[in-house]
Amino acid sequence: MEKTVNEIAALVGGTVSGDGSRVIRSLAALDEAGADDLAFVVPPHIEAARSGAKAGALLLPQGTEGFEGAVIFVDEPKAAFAKLLAIFTPPIAHPAGVSDQAYIGRDVQIGAGATILPFAYIDDYAVIGAGATVYPHAYVGQYSEIGEGSVVYPNAAVREHCRIGARCTIHSCAVIGADGFGFTTEDGVHTKVPQVGGVVIEDDVEIGAHVGIDRATLGATIIGKGTKIDNLVHIGHNCQIGANCLIVAQTGISGSTKVGHNVTFGGQVGTVGHINIGANSVYAARSGIIGDMPEGVFCAGFPVQPHAEWLRVQAAVRRLPEMVKKIKSLEKEIEGLRGQD
């Protein structure tokens, strides 16, 4: 694809400085971009770009000064670059229709324009919405539903009695609807509690590779509209995750936890079960949440605490070796003074 700097600026609502007729053929990272590429720059990389950028054109924040050559100024360079990525790299498309090498069970409903690729397995009574795509070796269980325009990538499994909303993305090897981890123990013997509920994934959710979302014991585990889940996340049975949450890799949310909307969990966050986590909150990487949490907090550490307090604790911890030496020195001095009595 080829577009001039002026054409690109029009696509992202930007203003041009320099040669607007310059032709851009691809997008690239700043340290890899060449004369035919466009790259975006945001702090703290602006000074490095000022002296060493080799890109044919740059996307820069409004008001940035001191750049020569072709520049497009926008309010949010990263967001503008994301929009351009979708334009310069069109999505992979497959002809609509059902492959004769796919398995289609009894009484399956398949909407107009859906694509079922070879070796996909659509079990009895499943529903595949209009325009949905199911890739090879993906499994859609009995009585489950894939919403309109959603994509299920290879080797993902949507187990029985689960519902995926519209425009969702289920990446490879995710498992939606595995049994919840529920057992009773008597005389040292663990006996499984039947997990007969389901999972409801609302519209516009993205679920990363190797994510496990367990079915409810009764009712449904729920993932709210617009939530984005990174790779290698586990969400236990009967959890309710609000809308527009961000859940980063290796996070584990224990069963029956209720999470409000717009909550961000950094990598490796863990929670106990049966708690409520308030909306509009942020939890830094490796936070350990062990009880109910209010709305609108920014927390870190284990056990979790306000982020500013956690920073002070970490600063104190780094001084511990020096403090120990001082304490030992003071102890010796005190003992010496006692010996003079």
Side-chain angles (χ1 to χ4, degrees), residues 5-6 87 131 214:
V5 170
N6 284 332
I87 295 170
D214 290 348

Side-chain angles (χ1 to χ4, degrees), residues 316-334:
V317 167
R318 286 194 291 271
R319 295 197 300 270
L320 281 177
E322 178 185 348
M323 293 168 65
V324 168
K325 289 181 181 178
K326 287 182 178 180
I327 290 170
K328 288 182 176 179
S329 177
L330 288 170
E331 287 176 339
K332 289 180 180 179
E333 186 175 339
I334 291 169

Side-chain angles (χ1 to χ4, degrees), residues 65-102:
E65 299 178 349
F67 279 86
E68 300 179 355
V71 175
I72 301 172
F73 294 107
V74 293
D75 291 332
E76 297 289 345
K78 188 174 181 180
F81 197 74
K83 183 176 181 179
L84 293 173
L85 283 172
I87 295 170
F88 274 77
T89 311
I92 293 172
H94 300 279
V98 180
S99 170
D100 57 8
Q101 294 179 298

